[in-house]
Amino acid sequence: MASVITEPSSCDTFVALPPATTGSRIIFGKNSDRPSDEVQEIVYFPAASHDPGEKVECTYIEIEQAPETYAVVLSRPSWLWGAEMGANEHGVCIGNEAVWGKEEVCDDEALLGMDLVRLGLERANTAEKAVGVIVDLLDKYGQGGNCMESHMAFTYHNSFLIADRKEAWILETSGKYWAAEKVEEGVRNISNQLSITTKIEREHPEIRNYAISKGWWDGKKEFDFAATFSYVNTARMTTTRGRYCEGYKLLKKHEGTITAETMMAILRDKESGINMEGGFMTTGSMVSILPQETSLPCIHFFTGTPDPDRSVFKPFIFVPNITQLLKTSSPVFGPEDTVKKQPRFQTKPDRRHELYRKHESAALVMESSKEKGDMILERIRKLEKEKIKEMEHILQNGSLDTDQAVNLFSNCTDDEIQAYA
């Protein structure tokens, strides 16, 4: 499979930690920017125990399964196994980005970066442990394969932003080589370029020798990961125009007062390019509130629909007995799925879930009638504000009704569908 030269298109992931936020909370946010005709679904998988020797079939390859996997909620392109972003029952959140650099991208089918997101969430109960899970899998199985449901190849390396109630980690890769940076306060974001410079807490044991062997680093000056493995001028990353810079400026603008609603507004920002439009567009969005007080629940908001400016951020809380989120789950095609059959991607099935279909119809109304479109927007904004207010009440009072939380996301999805009627 040969790569096609594609204009680098990626996403944006953000994290804000005290004192940048209001209250003792960490706020995580991500836009998933993908091909505009791709459906993103919101799915839930419960915790599970697995037999020794059991395998798990990822998007392209089969790997060894872990003895135990944690409950996860995922926002993912509906054709693949992994996820663009998600959270687990322990308050770990992960988002990934496509990155390119000097190291050639491998077209061979291995683990996708999106597979690594899901595997990190299923196997790690802290952000730091997730770093370890991902780099161990990267070393054992490698990363590679087509990242788009098409016979045309779209391949890239991956970066990850991983957060929990305590801290965040940036993990960036170039082939099998990687570096990780710990973030304990303030704001940080990643986009479609390497961003770790000289602040490196962990790294691939051979990365410096490899850089010297390639002539990318002289072994004398301070080791700068982004400068060594990419073509980016690291001295200008936060001052030159581009989504990484624009996202950083938006975070800094609100530093000290960042809430979940602030993060949602950043993800909806079109002028910056963060809310992307065109052939690649924002097809799903996520915002999470991670209270540092462990007695309070983490709350994860997902859209499951394109363009966050015309979508509802719906809350999800991990509690026992959650069932699958049917109205945001795409049809399943089993062994007949064109992703599974060789040669892959010869046809593309209709993967739209119920919420996607309703949102798609409403978007057409919004484009054809300003009056009707404004009415729909007013209804969905009101619904979102009500849910945010309810979640804030839970966080302020610690009054979580687990029976209601079981269907929290599903009921909000029903309300959103009704708002589009």
Side-chain angles (χ1 to χ4, degrees), residues 152-402:
M152 300 296 286
F154 179 56
T155 57
Y156 46 77
H157 304 303
N158 291 270
S159 66
F160 305 87
L161 198 162
I162 310 167
D164 60 21
R165 294 176 182 268
K166 177 185 170 186
E167 63 195 21
W169 285 79
I170 311 297
L171 171 62
E172 298 186 335
T173 71
S174 184
K176 71 175 184 179
Y177 299 97
W178 55 271
E181 173 190 340
K182 186 177 181 179
V183 184
E184 295 182 277
E185 63 177 22
V187 297
R188 187 70 161 81
N189 63 306
I190 59 173
S191 191
N192 62 329
Q193 62 190 62
L194 298 176
S195 64
I196 295 175
T197 56
T198 58
K199 186 180 181 298
I200 301 172
E201 269 74 30
R202 295 175 59 182
E203 63 186 51
H204 187 284
E206 296 299 321
I207 191 170
R208 300 189 186 217
N209 288 338
Y210 180 74
I212 291 171
S213 73
K214 298 290 286 187
W216 298 341
W217 182 55
D218 62 10
K220 297 175 183 176
K221 64 175 179 285
E222 188 175 18
F223 182 72
D224 182 320
F225 176 70
T228 302
F229 281 84
S230 73
Y231 299 104
V232 173
N233 179 344
T234 57
R236 300 178 60 206
M237 281 196 303
T238 59
T239 58
T240 53
R241 185 160 180 82
R243 286 204 328 279
Y244 176 83
C245 170
E246 295 301 308
Y248 178 76
K249 287 196 293 187
L250 285 169
L251 284 173
K252 294 298 287 185
K253 177 182 176 181
H254 298 285
E255 193 169 18
T257 60
I258 294 173
T259 65
E261 287 181 281
T262 309
M263 192 65 77
M264 292 172 190
I266 291 173
L267 298 183
R268 286 175 164 140
D269 194 284
K270 290 189 175 180
E271 185 178 353
S272 64
I274 289 165
N275 184 3
M276 186 180 279
E277 300 177 284
F280 264 64
M281 70 175 294
T282 299
T283 57
S285 303
M286 170 185 176
V287 169
S288 291
I289 304 172
L290 311 176
Q292 293 184 309
E293 173 52 62
T294 56
S295 65
L296 297 175
C298 295
I299 301 174
H300 312 283
F301 295 85
F302 295 92
T303 61
T305 50
D307 186 357
D309 201 38
R310 299 196 295 198
S311 298
V312 177
F313 281 92
K314 297 169 287 296
F316 177 98
I317 299 175
F318 283 94
V319 291
N321 304 317
I322 290 172
T323 56
Q324 188 51 274
L325 313 176
L326 296 178
K327 294 183 181 180
T328 57
S329 297
S330 294
V332 176
F333 300 95
E336 295 305 305
D337 198 313
T338 57
V339 177
K340 299 297 182 185
K341 297 170 74 172
Q342 296 282 3
R344 303 192 199 276
F345 307 123
Q346 297 306 295
T347 60
K348 188 180 289 187
D350 186 350
R351 301 187 187 276
R352 294 175 298 169
H353 49 74
E354 183 174 346
L355 177 64
Y356 188 98
R357 289 175 181 272
K358 298 296 184 183
H359 180 273
E360 189 175 44
S361 297
L364 291 174
V365 173
M366 292 179 196
E367 290 164 7
S368 62
S369 169
K370 184 178 188 305
E371 182 181 355
K372 291 180 180 178
D374 288 347
M375 288 174 61
I376 292 172
L377 277 172
E378 185 179 349
R379 288 199 295 266
I380 64 175
R381 286 286 185 271
K382 182 181 178 183
L383 171 61
E384 184 179 276
K385 285 186 179 298
E386 288 172 354
K387 293 303 173 185
I388 291 172
K389 187 176 179 180
E390 288 176 22
M391 297 307 101
E392 186 60 35
H393 180 77
I394 289 170
L395 292 173
Q396 291 288 345
N397 298 283
S399 55
L400 177 63
D401 183 332
T402 55

Side-chain angles (χ1 to χ4, degrees), residues 8-28:
S9 300
S10 184
C11 325
D12 295 273
T13 310
F14 305 87
V15 69
L17 304 89
T21 59
T22 59
S24 298
R25 303 171 185 177
I26 291 175
I27 307 293
F28 172 95

Side-chain angles (χ1 to χ4, degrees), residues 78-109:
S78 56
W79 60 271
L80 50 74
W81 181 86
E84 274 278 287
M85 52 198 171
N88 71 19
E89 62 184 295
H90 296 286
V92 179
C93 298
I94 308 179
N96 86 308
E97 314 295 341
V99 289
W100 294 266
K102 296 174 185 173
E103 186 76 354
E104 186 176 345
V105 177
C106 176
D107 294 332
D108 295 341
E109 292 184 346

